[in-house]
Amino acid sequence: MSVFYFIAFLSILFSLLVIFAKNPVHSVLYLIITFFTFTIHYIILNAQFLAVVNFIVYMGAILVLFLFVLMMLNLNKDTEPTKSIYVKLAGIIGGGVLLVTLVGAIKLTAKSNPVVLRDVNLGSVQNLGKVLFNEFLLPFEVSSILLLSAMVGAVLLATKEGKPKATTV
Amino acid sequence: MESFFETVKVVPLNHYILLSAIIFSIGVIGVLIRRNAIVVFMSVELMLNAVNLLLTVFSVYGNDPNGQVFVFFIMALAAAEIAIGLAIIVMIHRNTNSIDVDILNRLKW
């Protein structure tokens, strides 16, 4: 029981550090730790497939992409733009109001039952693979087309065009 | 191994929803207070992950594997979104030498 609360505390702490760190590189590193705590949450819930996919896709691919772009654009603390304190205060109040609304809405509901893992094989690769390739075969194939088109689009956008950019103005 | 999963049996569903709501709100605050476009993107990732965790918890709570399949699809979508978004940010940085989101106020009507 205390494992969950400890990991939840770490998730909240490191996600706060992500948005309040001045240096963007530090933000990426804190985000990696945050996603690691999410992986631990998945393991506690016995969602083995999601834990592995979260580890590989988010921590391995997406955050390396973030770090790569940060390094390529040569961004650091000196180039970091600063917002005025009033805009920051307004943002924090807006997000806090959203949180209070969500918590109030949860409080209205009845007392909840504990989360019980009824089937140990629920999140296993075998079980999810059966669901994925029977009921969700078409969305799975469509998502492959989505990833392919995203890759082509990213390459098209990021390559320098040789032509003068008079047409883009 | 079995005893490790016993820990989850005493955590109420409300606490998981609360954790996801807190992380989601932190993501919203990050989008609102940061001007660096890449950090704004990372806050969006935080929001996506909060929803992913909540979907997984509901999937375990309702003993239904479909929720975890949807988390898988959200991860694929996030990967595609990040690839396109970072390419757009690189292009903006090449044209304006800045990734300050307030510079992009030409996108207002």
PDB file of all heavy atoms in Angstrom, chain B residues 35-60:
ATOM      1  N   ARG B  35       6.982  29.573 -21.961  1.00  0.00           N
ATOM      2  CA  ARG B  35       6.990  30.145 -23.301  1.00  0.00           C
ATOM      3  C   ARG B  35       7.849  29.350 -24.253  1.00  0.00           C
ATOM      4  O   ARG B  35       7.765  29.549 -25.457  1.00  0.00           O
ATOM      5  CB  ARG B  35       7.491  31.581 -23.233  1.00  0.00           C
ATOM      6  CG  ARG B  35       6.422  32.514 -22.733  1.00  0.00           C
ATOM      7  CD  ARG B  35       6.974  33.875 -22.496  1.00  0.00           C
ATOM      8  NE  ARG B  35       7.376  34.525 -23.729  1.00  0.00           N
ATOM      9  CZ  ARG B  35       8.008  35.691 -23.741  1.00  0.00           C
ATOM     10  NH1 ARG B  35       8.281  36.294 -22.637  1.00  0.00           N
ATOM     11  NH2 ARG B  35       8.343  36.233 -24.883  1.00  0.00           N
ATOM     12  N   ASN B  36       8.685  28.487 -23.723  1.00  0.00           N
ATOM     13  CA  ASN B  36       9.502  27.633 -24.577  1.00  0.00           C
ATOM     14  C   ASN B  36       8.615  26.558 -25.210  1.00  0.00           C
ATOM     15  O   ASN B  36       7.954  25.798 -24.507  1.00  0.00           O
ATOM     16  CB  ASN B  36      10.585  26.999 -23.707  1.00  0.00           C
ATOM     17  CG  ASN B  36      11.611  26.276 -24.518  1.00  0.00           C
ATOM     18  OD1 ASN B  36      11.315  25.786 -25.593  1.00  0.00           O
ATOM     19  ND2 ASN B  36      12.814  26.213 -24.016  1.00  0.00           N
ATOM     20  N   ALA B  37       8.567  26.498 -26.547  1.00  0.00           N
ATOM     21  CA  ALA B  37       7.617  25.616 -27.221  1.00  0.00           C
ATOM     22  C   ALA B  37       7.890  24.149 -26.894  1.00  0.00           C
ATOM     23  O   ALA B  37       6.957  23.350 -26.807  1.00  0.00           O
ATOM     24  CB  ALA B  37       7.691  25.828 -28.723  1.00  0.00           C
ATOM     25  N   ILE B  38       9.158  23.778 -26.681  1.00  0.00           N
ATOM     26  CA  ILE B  38       9.459  22.373 -26.405  1.00  0.00           C
ATOM     27  C   ILE B  38       8.968  21.982 -25.015  1.00  0.00           C
ATOM     28  O   ILE B  38       8.450  20.891 -24.805  1.00  0.00           O
ATOM     29  CB  ILE B  38      10.974  22.120 -26.572  1.00  0.00           C
ATOM     30  CG1 ILE B  38      11.347  22.304 -28.031  1.00  0.00           C
ATOM     31  CG2 ILE B  38      11.351  20.745 -26.119  1.00  0.00           C
ATOM     32  CD1 ILE B  38      12.769  22.024 -28.340  1.00  0.00           C
ATOM     33  N   VAL B  39       9.092  22.916 -24.044  1.00  0.00           N
ATOM     34  CA  VAL B  39       8.589  22.602 -22.700  1.00  0.00           C
ATOM     35  C   VAL B  39       7.062  22.517 -22.712  1.00  0.00           C
ATOM     36  O   VAL B  39       6.467  21.693 -22.002  1.00  0.00           O
ATOM     37  CB  VAL B  39       9.099  23.639 -21.691  1.00  0.00           C
ATOM     38  CG1 VAL B  39       8.647  23.292 -20.299  1.00  0.00           C
ATOM     39  CG2 VAL B  39      10.605  23.700 -21.720  1.00  0.00           C
ATOM     40  N   VAL B  40       6.420  23.345 -23.553  1.00  0.00           N
ATOM     41  CA  VAL B  40       4.968  23.240 -23.712  1.00  0.00           C
ATOM     42  C   VAL B  40       4.601  21.859 -24.237  1.00  0.00           C
ATOM     43  O   VAL B  40       3.654  21.218 -23.756  1.00  0.00           O
ATOM     44  CB  VAL B  40       4.465  24.361 -24.644  1.00  0.00           C
ATOM     45  CG1 VAL B  40       3.024  24.140 -25.021  1.00  0.00           C
ATOM     46  CG2 VAL B  40       4.617  25.705 -23.998  1.00  0.00           C
ATOM     47  N   PHE B  41       5.389  21.366 -25.185  1.00  0.00           N
ATOM     48  CA  PHE B  41       5.148  20.016 -25.717  1.00  0.00           C
ATOM     49  C   PHE B  41       5.307  18.960 -24.635  1.00  0.00           C
ATOM     50  O   PHE B  41       4.534  18.000 -24.573  1.00  0.00           O
ATOM     51  CB  PHE B  41       6.135  19.744 -26.846  1.00  0.00           C
ATOM     52  CG  PHE B  41       5.493  19.724 -28.172  1.00  0.00           C
ATOM     53  CD1 PHE B  41       4.893  20.860 -28.664  1.00  0.00           C
ATOM     54  CD2 PHE B  41       5.462  18.584 -28.930  1.00  0.00           C
ATOM     55  CE1 PHE B  41       4.282  20.851 -29.874  1.00  0.00           C
ATOM     56  CE2 PHE B  41       4.846  18.573 -30.138  1.00  0.00           C
ATOM     57  CZ  PHE B  41       4.262  19.707 -30.630  1.00  0.00           C
ATOM     58  N   MET B  42       6.316  19.145 -23.765  1.00  0.00           N
ATOM     59  CA  MET B  42       6.526  18.160 -22.705  1.00  0.00           C
ATOM     60  C   MET B  42       5.378  18.174 -21.720  1.00  0.00           C
ATOM     61  O   MET B  42       4.998  17.142 -21.171  1.00  0.00           O
ATOM     62  CB  MET B  42       7.854  18.420 -22.005  1.00  0.00           C
ATOM     63  CG  MET B  42       8.994  18.144 -22.923  1.00  0.00           C
ATOM     64  SD  MET B  42      10.640  18.264 -22.293  1.00  0.00           S
ATOM     65  CE  MET B  42      10.567  19.377 -21.011  1.00  0.00           C
ATOM     66  N   SER B  43       4.768  19.360 -21.501  1.00  0.00           N
ATOM     67  CA  SER B  43       3.596  19.416 -20.625  1.00  0.00           C
ATOM     68  C   SER B  43       2.415  18.669 -21.239  1.00  0.00           C
ATOM     69  O   SER B  43       1.654  18.004 -20.527  1.00  0.00           O
ATOM     70  CB  SER B  43       3.222  20.866 -20.366  1.00  0.00           C
ATOM     71  OG  SER B  43       4.298  21.549 -19.812  1.00  0.00           O
ATOM     72  N   VAL B  44       2.282  18.767 -22.573  1.00  0.00           N
ATOM     73  CA  VAL B  44       1.225  18.001 -23.244  1.00  0.00           C
ATOM     74  C   VAL B  44       1.457  16.500 -23.044  1.00  0.00           C
ATOM     75  O   VAL B  44       0.513  15.725 -22.825  1.00  0.00           O
ATOM     76  CB  VAL B  44       1.181  18.369 -24.741  1.00  0.00           C
ATOM     77  CG1 VAL B  44       0.215  17.485 -25.482  1.00  0.00           C
ATOM     78  CG2 VAL B  44       0.779  19.810 -24.913  1.00  0.00           C
ATOM     79  N   GLU B  45       2.737  16.089 -23.078  1.00  0.00           N
ATOM     80  CA  GLU B  45       3.060  14.685 -22.832  1.00  0.00           C
ATOM     81  C   GLU B  45       2.643  14.260 -21.421  1.00  0.00           C
ATOM     82  O   GLU B  45       2.161  13.149 -21.208  1.00  0.00           O
ATOM     83  CB  GLU B  45       4.554  14.453 -23.004  1.00  0.00           C
ATOM     84  CG  GLU B  45       5.021  14.511 -24.417  1.00  0.00           C
ATOM     85  CD  GLU B  45       4.364  13.453 -25.240  1.00  0.00           C
ATOM     86  OE1 GLU B  45       4.461  12.284 -24.910  1.00  0.00           O
ATOM     87  OE2 GLU B  45       3.707  13.817 -26.228  1.00  0.00           O
ATOM     88  N   LEU B  46       2.849  15.169 -20.451  1.00  0.00           N
ATOM     89  CA  LEU B  46       2.431  14.866 -19.073  1.00  0.00           C
ATOM     90  C   LEU B  46       0.926  14.607 -19.019  1.00  0.00           C
ATOM     91  O   LEU B  46       0.466  13.655 -18.382  1.00  0.00           O
ATOM     92  CB  LEU B  46       2.764  16.037 -18.153  1.00  0.00           C
ATOM     93  CG  LEU B  46       4.101  16.049 -17.454  1.00  0.00           C
ATOM     94  CD1 LEU B  46       4.196  17.265 -16.572  1.00  0.00           C
ATOM     95  CD2 LEU B  46       4.263  14.808 -16.623  1.00  0.00           C
ATOM     96  N   MET B  47       0.148  15.460 -19.729  1.00  0.00           N
ATOM     97  CA  MET B  47      -1.307  15.278 -19.726  1.00  0.00           C
ATOM     98  C   MET B  47      -1.685  13.942 -20.355  1.00  0.00           C
ATOM     99  O   MET B  47      -2.529  13.203 -19.834  1.00  0.00           O
ATOM    100  CB  MET B  47      -1.976  16.428 -20.486  1.00  0.00           C
ATOM    101  CG  MET B  47      -1.935  17.732 -19.765  1.00  0.00           C
ATOM    102  SD  MET B  47      -3.053  18.902 -20.488  1.00  0.00           S
ATOM    103  CE  MET B  47      -1.981  19.784 -21.553  1.00  0.00           C
ATOM    104  N   LEU B  48      -1.034  13.612 -21.475  1.00  0.00           N
ATOM    105  CA  LEU B  48      -1.327  12.340 -22.148  1.00  0.00           C
ATOM    106  C   LEU B  48      -1.034  11.165 -21.223  1.00  0.00           C
ATOM    107  O   LEU B  48      -1.802  10.194 -21.161  1.00  0.00           O
ATOM    108  CB  LEU B  48      -0.485  12.209 -23.413  1.00  0.00           C
ATOM    109  CG  LEU B  48      -0.994  12.905 -24.666  1.00  0.00           C
ATOM    110  CD1 LEU B  48       0.046  12.821 -25.742  1.00  0.00           C
ATOM    111  CD2 LEU B  48      -2.243  12.221 -25.140  1.00  0.00           C
ATOM    112  N   ASN B  49       0.074  11.272 -20.459  1.00  0.00           N
ATOM    113  CA  ASN B  49       0.438  10.163 -19.585  1.00  0.00           C
ATOM    114  C   ASN B  49      -0.501  10.020 -18.408  1.00  0.00           C
ATOM    115  O   ASN B  49      -0.757   8.906 -17.949  1.00  0.00           O
ATOM    116  CB  ASN B  49       1.871  10.324 -19.108  1.00  0.00           C
ATOM    117  CG  ASN B  49       2.811   9.554 -19.982  1.00  0.00           C
ATOM    118  OD1 ASN B  49       2.950   8.371 -19.810  1.00  0.00           O
ATOM    119  ND2 ASN B  49       3.387  10.211 -20.955  1.00  0.00           N
ATOM    120  N   ALA B  50      -1.028  11.170 -17.917  1.00  0.00           N
ATOM    121  CA  ALA B  50      -2.018  11.086 -16.840  1.00  0.00           C
ATOM    122  C   ALA B  50      -3.245  10.312 -17.316  1.00  0.00           C
ATOM    123  O   ALA B  50      -3.773   9.441 -16.612  1.00  0.00           O
ATOM    124  CB  ALA B  50      -2.406  12.488 -16.384  1.00  0.00           C
ATOM    125  N   VAL B  51      -3.686  10.619 -18.542  1.00  0.00           N
ATOM    126  CA  VAL B  51      -4.853   9.923 -19.084  1.00  0.00           C
ATOM    127  C   VAL B  51      -4.539   8.440 -19.309  1.00  0.00           C
ATOM    128  O   VAL B  51      -5.376   7.569 -19.052  1.00  0.00           O
ATOM    129  CB  VAL B  51      -5.311  10.617 -20.380  1.00  0.00           C
ATOM    130  CG1 VAL B  51      -6.415   9.843 -21.042  1.00  0.00           C
ATOM    131  CG2 VAL B  51      -5.767  12.012 -20.080  1.00  0.00           C
ATOM    132  N   ASN B  52      -3.316   8.152 -19.769  1.00  0.00           N
ATOM    133  CA  ASN B  52      -2.917   6.757 -19.975  1.00  0.00           C
ATOM    134  C   ASN B  52      -3.004   5.959 -18.681  1.00  0.00           C
ATOM    135  O   ASN B  52      -3.515   4.834 -18.657  1.00  0.00           O
ATOM    136  CB  ASN B  52      -1.475   6.699 -20.477  1.00  0.00           C
ATOM    137  CG  ASN B  52      -1.380   6.904 -21.956  1.00  0.00           C
ATOM    138  OD1 ASN B  52      -2.404   6.985 -22.632  1.00  0.00           O
ATOM    139  ND2 ASN B  52      -0.191   6.998 -22.458  1.00  0.00           N
ATOM    140  N   LEU B  53      -2.488   6.554 -17.599  1.00  0.00           N
ATOM    141  CA  LEU B  53      -2.508   5.857 -16.308  1.00  0.00           C
ATOM    142  C   LEU B  53      -3.941   5.609 -15.861  1.00  0.00           C
ATOM    143  O   LEU B  53      -4.279   4.517 -15.380  1.00  0.00           O
ATOM    144  CB  LEU B  53      -1.758   6.689 -15.270  1.00  0.00           C
ATOM    145  CG  LEU B  53      -1.714   6.071 -13.875  1.00  0.00           C
ATOM    146  CD1 LEU B  53      -0.907   4.802 -13.905  1.00  0.00           C
ATOM    147  CD2 LEU B  53      -1.126   7.033 -12.881  1.00  0.00           C
ATOM    148  N   LEU B  54      -4.806   6.618 -16.079  1.00  0.00           N
ATOM    149  CA  LEU B  54      -6.198   6.474 -15.647  1.00  0.00           C
ATOM    150  C   LEU B  54      -6.903   5.379 -16.449  1.00  0.00           C
ATOM    151  O   LEU B  54      -7.655   4.571 -15.884  1.00  0.00           O
ATOM    152  CB  LEU B  54      -6.916   7.813 -15.819  1.00  0.00           C
ATOM    153  CG  LEU B  54      -8.218   7.968 -15.064  1.00  0.00           C
ATOM    154  CD1 LEU B  54      -7.983   7.735 -13.600  1.00  0.00           C
ATOM    155  CD2 LEU B  54      -8.783   9.345 -15.275  1.00  0.00           C
ATOM    156  N   LEU B  55      -6.628   5.321 -17.762  1.00  0.00           N
ATOM    157  CA  LEU B  55      -7.223   4.275 -18.593  1.00  0.00           C
ATOM    158  C   LEU B  55      -6.776   2.896 -18.125  1.00  0.00           C
ATOM    159  O   LEU B  55      -7.581   1.956 -18.066  1.00  0.00           O
ATOM    160  CB  LEU B  55      -6.823   4.467 -20.055  1.00  0.00           C
ATOM    161  CG  LEU B  55      -7.732   5.314 -20.923  1.00  0.00           C
ATOM    162  CD1 LEU B  55      -7.097   5.518 -22.284  1.00  0.00           C
ATOM    163  CD2 LEU B  55      -9.055   4.619 -21.108  1.00  0.00           C
ATOM    164  N   THR B  56      -5.486   2.774 -17.785  1.00  0.00           N
ATOM    165  CA  THR B  56      -4.981   1.490 -17.311  1.00  0.00           C
ATOM    166  C   THR B  56      -5.644   1.079 -15.998  1.00  0.00           C
ATOM    167  O   THR B  56      -6.017  -0.080 -15.810  1.00  0.00           O
ATOM    168  CB  THR B  56      -3.458   1.561 -17.123  1.00  0.00           C
ATOM    169  OG1 THR B  56      -2.893   2.149 -18.271  1.00  0.00           O
ATOM    170  CG2 THR B  56      -2.885   0.199 -16.902  1.00  0.00           C
ATOM    171  N   VAL B  57      -5.805   2.070 -15.095  1.00  0.00           N
ATOM    172  CA  VAL B  57      -6.416   1.764 -13.804  1.00  0.00           C
ATOM    173  C   VAL B  57      -7.861   1.311 -13.992  1.00  0.00           C
ATOM    174  O   VAL B  57      -8.305   0.322 -13.389  1.00  0.00           O
ATOM    175  CB  VAL B  57      -6.339   2.990 -12.875  1.00  0.00           C
ATOM    176  CG1 VAL B  57      -7.174   2.768 -11.642  1.00  0.00           C
ATOM    177  CG2 VAL B  57      -4.919   3.261 -12.486  1.00  0.00           C
ATOM    178  N   PHE B  58      -8.606   2.014 -14.857  1.00  0.00           N
ATOM    179  CA  PHE B  58      -9.989   1.614 -15.102  1.00  0.00           C
ATOM    180  C   PHE B  58     -10.052   0.243 -15.765  1.00  0.00           C
ATOM    181  O   PHE B  58     -10.966  -0.537 -15.508  1.00  0.00           O
ATOM    182  CB  PHE B  58     -10.700   2.650 -15.969  1.00  0.00           C
ATOM    183  CG  PHE B  58     -11.180   3.835 -15.204  1.00  0.00           C
ATOM    184  CD1 PHE B  58     -11.049   5.105 -15.713  1.00  0.00           C
ATOM    185  CD2 PHE B  58     -11.762   3.673 -13.965  1.00  0.00           C
ATOM    186  CE1 PHE B  58     -11.481   6.208 -15.004  1.00  0.00           C
ATOM    187  CE2 PHE B  58     -12.208   4.770 -13.248  1.00  0.00           C
ATOM    188  CZ  PHE B  58     -12.069   6.034 -13.770  1.00  0.00           C
ATOM    189  N   SER B  59      -9.070  -0.033 -16.632  1.00  0.00           N
ATOM    190  CA  SER B  59      -9.017  -1.339 -17.282  1.00  0.00           C
ATOM    191  C   SER B  59      -8.831  -2.449 -16.253  1.00  0.00           C
ATOM    192  O   SER B  59      -9.492  -3.494 -16.317  1.00  0.00           O
ATOM    193  CB  SER B  59      -7.883  -1.344 -18.298  1.00  0.00           C
ATOM    194  OG  SER B  59      -7.486  -2.640 -18.578  1.00  0.00           O
ATOM    195  N   VAL B  60      -7.936  -2.225 -15.274  1.00  0.00           N
ATOM    196  CA  VAL B  60      -7.720  -3.235 -14.237  1.00  0.00           C
ATOM    197  C   VAL B  60      -8.941  -3.337 -13.334  1.00  0.00           C
ATOM    198  O   VAL B  60      -9.363  -4.418 -12.936  1.00  0.00           O
ATOM    199  CB  VAL B  60      -6.447  -2.893 -13.423  1.00  0.00           C
ATOM    200  CG1 VAL B  60      -6.311  -3.793 -12.211  1.00  0.00           C
ATOM    201  CG2 VAL B  60      -5.231  -3.027 -14.297  1.00  0.00           C
TER     202      VAL B  60
END
